[in-house]
Amino acid sequence: MEKNASEVSADSLEASRKSWAHHPGNPFTWPESKKWRILLVAAAATLLIGINASSVTTPASMIAERFHVTESAFPHSFWPVTIWNTGAAFGPMVGLPLLENFGIQRGYMLLYLAFTIMVVPQAVAPNFAALLVSRAIAGTLAGILQNVMEQLSTDMWATDKERNLPITLYSYVFAAGATLGPALGSIVGNLSWRWVLYVQLIIYCAFIPLVVGFIKETRGPILLKQHAEKDETLAKAMGDLQRPAFSTLLREAALRPATLLVTEPVVFFFTLWAAFCFGLVFIMSQSVAQVYRETYGFSDSASGLVQISLFVGETIGFFACLPQNAYYQRSAARNTVKPGVPIPEARLPLSIPASLVGLAGGLFWYGWASFPHVHWMIPTIGLAFVGFAIVVIITAVDMYITDAYTTFAGSAIAAVAMGQYLFAAWLPLAAKSMYTNLGFQWASSLLGFVALALTLAPIVLLFKGETVRKKSKFIAKAANS
């Protein structure tokens, strides 16, 4: 029996789709070595770019003195960090849709070159206003570049099991870069605050060949279009591909994250939780300098090095997430709603003790060990606990949001990222007055109590997550799409 024209067309289209699914140009089919070369270069870039955010906190007093910025009533020297993170919060809303629509490779290279160039006016700024403007532009570019790494993971690995390690690595380098900034400022700051930026410029310039040589185009639609020009079978799949207009992408990138943030309790509370953690990285850049200077007589440079303890904790947290990822995968065997599919709430068990013991406990430890008669290493250990919790929590939030919101995960993650940058920008402005007025012990305790309160969010989801997800309009819509 002969097939009619519509059946032949459907068969042809199905064949073209299968052809692309197994095509060597499809990122999902690339060798693991190629995928990891791309991702590791992006991870290194994410970490290095994060250093630019916080490296000026250690020589802040030098910057204030050079530009005659007063510090008595308000920490004006922190404005370069605030303006950087504010730009990073809003840059991805425009930048990421551009990269999704026109391709990652060229866009990433241009953005990285532009970011590197913007380090120059930071280093040679003749006045405080010029420093702030150049920092704002650099932060805007940096926010896009840092968020690209997560996009690369979803472009190159098809399943959540494959993406476990890449996204965990992203969460780690995202936090670690900002944590290491004050340490670089401590090492180089004795020369001049400008040299803190000159050294970064040298590093960023040296990294350009790696970006140019290893960052490849990973966007499936872009690659399909390129190969379809030479392959008639793929051209049929390209014809079937419905890509939204750029104006639609831009509108969704601007509006959907905000909509999710105000209408979805999971996104709202998890954004608060993750944003508080990332904000702590920058609060500590203020707190540690004040606490160790006044309690132990440390110089600004020495106190900057103390923050390496946060990085040590973050590194331990990264490795602790690996068995957590394995536990998540094993949860598929006990999923009665969707057999064979891992349960989103299985992302959370490690994050709860990390939040209670690591985050809240570490903050209480850091605060109540900060006395002159207690060795300086004791509160420093508390900081390591905080660093451990920061990476575990940020990873859990990213993973859970991705699993729960599937189709809308990009917008939900964008809401979380925006919250993280905004907390990092504005929360630390209150750190100096808080630690001065409340005292070192109670200021850290206040942060610890906030951490305890935020831990309720994952505890509720661990036990009632399925019920909460069933009530979500976005999760229901994603499940039916």
Side-chain angles (χ1 to χ4, degrees), residues 132-324:
L132 293 181
V133 170
S134 59
R135 293 278 296 174
I137 298 172
T140 302
L141 298 169
I144 303 170
L145 288 165
Q146 288 191 306
N147 280 277
V148 164
M149 183 180 169
E150 193 160 14
Q151 180 65 58
L152 291 174
S153 300
T154 57
D155 283 347
M156 294 189 292
W157 284 280
T159 67
D160 54 0
K161 182 178 181 180
E162 294 174 314
R163 290 192 295 266
N164 278 337
L165 183 55
I167 294 180
T168 302
L169 179 62
Y170 162 72
S171 301
Y172 169 62
V173 296
F174 177 72
T179 303
L180 288 173
L184 176 66
S186 297
I187 295 169
V188 184
N190 288 327
L191 298 174
S192 162
W193 69 268
R194 295 188 189 275
W195 267 103
V196 173
L197 294 159
Y198 287 142
V199 168
Q200 290 175 63
L201 181 62
I202 293 169
I203 294 171
Y204 297 142
C205 287
F207 203 73
I208 289 175
L210 291 176
V211 171
V212 174
F214 289 97
I215 297 297
K216 305 297 181 184
E217 184 55 62
T218 62
R219 293 292 296 153
I222 302 296
L223 292 168
L224 175 57
K225 182 179 180 180
Q226 292 173 359
H227 289 285
E229 295 172 356
K230 305 174 184 178
D231 190 321
E232 184 178 347
T233 303
L234 292 179
K236 294 176 182 177
M238 185 65 204
D240 181 61
L241 182 65
Q242 299 296 321
R243 296 178 63 195
F246 174 66
S247 58
T248 303
L249 284 172
L250 194 60
R251 184 171 62 253
E252 289 182 353
L255 297 179
R256 188 179 286 164
T259 302
L260 284 161
L261 195 59
V262 298
T263 62
E264 292 288 311
V266 172
V267 177
F268 177 76
F269 286 107
F270 268 31
T271 296
L272 284 181
W273 195 30
F276 177 72
C277 289
F278 192 60
L280 279 175
V281 173
F282 291 85
I283 288 177
M284 289 307 161
S285 71
Q286 302 295 290
S287 164
V288 168
Q290 187 177 357
V291 169
Y292 282 75
R293 181 177 59 249
E294 297 182 22
T295 305
Y296 301 109
F298 279 29
S299 64
D300 288 343
S301 295
S303 63
L305 292 174
V306 169
Q307 292 186 77
I308 293 176
S309 61
L310 278 171
F311 173 71
V312 172
E314 288 167 351
T315 303
I316 297 171
F318 167 75
F319 287 105
C321 286
L322 302 184
Q324 167 64 66

